Amino acid sequence: MEQNTAKFYKNRGLKRFYIGMPILTVVWIVLFGIIAPSKSTIISFIVISIFLGVFSIIQKYALTNDNTIEFYSFWGRRKKLSVPIESISEILIKPYKLSIDYRTREDIYSRSVVLELSETDMKKMVDELLTRNPKIVVS
């Protein structure tokens, strides 16, 4: 019986989220304090925006034994997206970002997804993707 030993990589973009969320909260307070001065409106909108931001952010990436890249959100428990490695056609490397182009069976045009990784994790991820699918074009 084979165990699922997925390789996990942390999202580097979380720092911007933790900096941006307090700024967004202050902007919401000022904006809705001017438009709708009701305290319940302001509080409910702030709570909703914080929860939507926390639940939608990608926490980590995983390379699984099933040859997929999986994107986990909601504190790493809920799978948000799964991309088959054999469908990846191109990887564009930018500082701290990997832009991956892939195509599913239903797609006419290729889709793109961005992974935000540290330099060491990026090198490991690219090497692993190239060993699993040597047809990937790296640019």
Side-chain angles (χ1 to χ4, degrees):
M1 185 180 245
E2 185 178 331
Q3 291 181 342
N4 188 3
T5 56
K7 297 178 182 179
F8 289 96
Y9 300 93
K10 252 185 156 175
N11 183 355
R12 185 182 176 276
L14 291 176
K15 292 177 186 173
R16 283 185 305 198
F17 173 76
Y18 293 129
I19 292 170
M21 204 47 146
I23 294 171
L24 179 66
T25 303
V26 170
V27 169
W28 284 126
I29 289 171
V30 171
L31 182 66
F32 279 96
I34 294 170
I35 295 172
S38 170
K39 289 182 182 179
S40 63
T41 306
I42 295 171
I43 293 171
S44 63
F45 203 79
I46 291 170
V47 170
I48 288 171
S49 65
I50 289 172
F51 278 113
L52 288 178
V54 168
F55 291 137
S56 66
I57 192 164
I58 299 293
Q59 292 285 341
K60 60 185 174 181
Y61 314 104
L63 287 174
T64 65
N65 289 343
D66 300 331
N67 280 339
T68 60
I69 301 175
E70 296 185 352
F71 296 77
Y72 288 94
S73 63
F74 189 60
W75 295 292
R77 294 187 194 131
R78 187 177 67 178
K79 185 169 47 172
K80 189 168 184 166
L81 177 67
S82 182
V83 176
I85 294 176
E86 64 268 1
S87 69
I88 297 173
S89 59
E90 184 178 0
I91 297 175
L92 178 64
I93 300 175
K94 294 181 179 180
Y96 302 108
K97 291 185 181 183
L98 284 179
S99 178
I100 296 177
D101 293 337
Y102 67 98
R103 182 174 291 166
T104 60
R105 292 185 183 119
E106 304 88 29
D107 291 339
I108 296 173
Y109 302 106
S110 63
R111 296 181 183 193
S112 182
V113 66
V114 176
L115 285 74
E116 296 188 41
L117 299 165
S118 66
E119 282 189 50
T120 56
D121 285 347
M122 189 181 312
K123 289 176 185 176
K124 291 176 187 176
M125 175 78 84
V126 170
D127 291 340
E128 187 68 31
L129 289 175
L130 289 174
T131 56
R132 293 185 186 200
N133 184 1
K135 296 178 184 177
I136 297 174
V137 177
V138 178
S139 54

